[in-house]
Structure formats: C-alpha cells, structure tokens
C-alpha cells in the first residue's frame, strides 16, 4: 500500500486515542507510530479474548499455527485480487 494510505489508516487510530503518530521521527522514517496506554489496554484485551477463544474451541498450538498461516496466505491472495481490480469494489 502507498505510504499515504497507511498514514490515513493510522490517523484514524490516532483520532480514537489508540496510537500517537510522530510525523518527524529521528529514525529516518516518514513517520513513526507508538501505542498509547489505551492502545496497549486494547491489545491486552484482544490477547485475552484470543486465549479464551482457543480454550472454547479446544484448539492446540499446532492448529493455531495452521490457522495463522492460512490467514496470512489469504491476505496475500486478497491483496493481489484487490490490486488486479484497481482497489475498486
């Protein structure tokens, strides 16, 4: 994705207080993002919910790794499809 598109998405997260954006970082990047305490709380809550879900569906580490790989692979397929369509839906 174009850097501007990433920044636009990050700005939405910043607007709701989950991250802070530094538009002039000292690390050579175009911009840098850090989680706020609210963002860290949300991330912790997501991790807790994921663990609860794993228990409910009785999933083991091997199954979880397969699901992660499937999800990541599907993102690439989805991106290629969207790119082919010019990102117009």
């Amino acid at each position: 994705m174009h850097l501007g598109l990433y920044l636009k998405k990050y700005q939405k997260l910043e607007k709701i207080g989950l991250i802070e954006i530094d538009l002039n970082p000292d690390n050579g990047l175009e911009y840098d993002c850090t989680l706020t305490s609210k963002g860290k709380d949300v991330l912790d809550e997501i991790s807790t919910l994921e663990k609860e879900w794993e228990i409910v569906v009785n999933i083991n580490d091997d199954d979880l790794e397969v699901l992660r790989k499937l999800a990541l692979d599907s993102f690439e397929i989805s991106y290629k499809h969207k790119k082919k369509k010019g990102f117009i839906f």
Side-chain angles (χ1 to χ4, degrees), residues 50-61:
E50 285 178 339
K51 288 175 184 157
E52 290 174 8
W53 177 80
E54 291 169 17
I55 292 168
V56 168
V57 297
N58 196 28
I59 195 166
N60 63 37
D61 289 341

Side-chain angles (χ1 to χ4, degrees), residues 36-67:
T36 62
S37 60
K38 181 180 177 181
K40 289 176 185 177
D41 290 344
V42 169
L43 193 58
D44 289 342
E45 185 177 342
I46 290 170
S47 292
T48 299
L49 291 171
E50 285 178 339
K51 288 175 184 157
E52 290 174 8
W53 177 80
E54 291 169 17
I55 292 168
V56 168
V57 297
N58 196 28
I59 195 166
N60 63 37
D61 289 341
D62 291 334
D63 296 335
L64 191 58
E65 189 56 39
V66 169
L67 288 173

Side-chain angles (χ1 to χ4, degrees), residues 1-21 31 33 82 87 89:
M1 282 177 45
H2 186 274
L3 281 176
L5 293 176
Y6 278 116
L7 183 57
K8 190 174 181 179
K9 300 294 183 186
Y10 292 147
Q11 287 170 331
K12 289 181 180 182
L13 294 173
E14 182 180 44
K15 190 174 185 176
I16 59 174
L18 297 177
I19 66 169
E20 292 177 349
I21 302 173
Y31 53 86
C33 300
K82 290 175 185 177
F87 296 96
F89 309 101

